[in-house]
Amino acid sequence: MRFRDLLLIVGLFFCCTLFAQDLQVDSRLRPYLQDFIKSCKDYDIPYRDKLLRLERIAIVSSLPVSEQDATLGMLRRDENGAVQAIEINWMAQIDPEILKIVAFHEFGHYFLEYESHVCDDCDHIMAVINTSYFEIAQNWEHHLKILFEESPAYQRQLNVMNTVASNKKP
């Protein structure tokens, strides 16, 4: 019983410190953000400072939608180009797997430093369009690994580690 109480206290502390400084996280996106942050920790990718600079992570109805096209997610920037919010189109909620993939796509732009998409439509979380959402969902761990290991943030971490290792060689 004491271990469970301790675990609850640690969990509450983590949530309070994680979402401090007025960051508003839509409860429908919070589980995806927590999973993404766990992966950031697994890959040793810094996330905390960026997270604290955000004002909100939200599902919105203001992103463009037409019969031919829809913007499913976007980084909202201020007049200086700094990211203020991660916004996900309400339409992405049509399926929980689509919502997860769109959320990870937008988190990838922000936290993993994907400044652009990797392709137009290529079975990659960072594609412009994914006609293959369900293939990505079925092979989630594989695609998650690719998302992180090919990211600019992870590649920079590897370069730093390789540089440090090569400087230590006699």
Side-chain angles (χ1 to χ4, degrees), residues 25-170:
V25 179
D26 190 300
S27 62
R28 296 165 291 186
L29 295 172
R30 184 167 281 135
Y32 303 124
L33 178 62
Q34 290 169 335
D35 288 348
F36 189 89
I37 286 172
K38 181 188 176 310
S39 293
C40 285
K41 290 176 183 178
D42 292 344
Y43 284 94
D44 200 27
I45 295 174
Y47 65 90
R48 188 172 182 77
D49 290 344
K50 286 183 179 183
L51 185 66
L52 294 176
R53 285 193 294 263
L54 287 173
E55 293 175 8
R56 67 189 172 115
I57 299 173
I59 293 176
V60 299
S61 59
S62 57
L63 294 177
V65 176
S66 72
E67 288 181 23
Q68 293 81 27
D69 195 19
T71 300
L72 293 182
M74 168 182 252
L75 300 182
R76 182 76 60 199
R77 299 175 185 274
D78 66 14
E79 61 278 350
N80 298 319
V83 176
Q84 293 180 308
I86 297 173
E87 297 179 341
I88 309 294
N89 193 316
W90 65 272
M91 290 177 56
Q93 296 179 93
I94 197 163
D95 183 274
E97 296 298 335
I98 292 174
L99 181 58
K100 177 169 76 172
I101 293 165
V102 172
F104 272 70
H105 175 100
E106 295 308 321
F107 298 156
H109 278 303
Y110 185 61
F111 294 103
L112 301 180
E113 302 170 7
Y114 280 97
E115 292 181 7
S116 60
H117 298 103
V118 298
C119 61
D120 286 334
D121 188 358
C122 63
D123 295 341
H124 193 293
I125 293 171
M126 294 308 298
V128 174
I129 299 168
N130 269 312
T131 53
S132 57
Y133 280 111
F134 298 107
E135 191 282 324
I136 291 172
Q138 286 177 337
N139 296 305
W140 178 249
E141 292 303 318
H142 169 73
H143 289 284
L144 185 63
K145 181 179 178 183
I146 291 170
L147 173 71
F148 275 85
E149 290 183 0
E150 292 180 359
S151 73
Y154 184 71
Q155 292 300 313
R156 189 176 56 256
Q157 289 290 93
L158 285 180
N159 289 339
V160 168
M161 288 188 288
N162 289 337
T163 301
V164 169
S166 67
N167 287 339
K168 289 184 178 182
K169 290 182 180 177

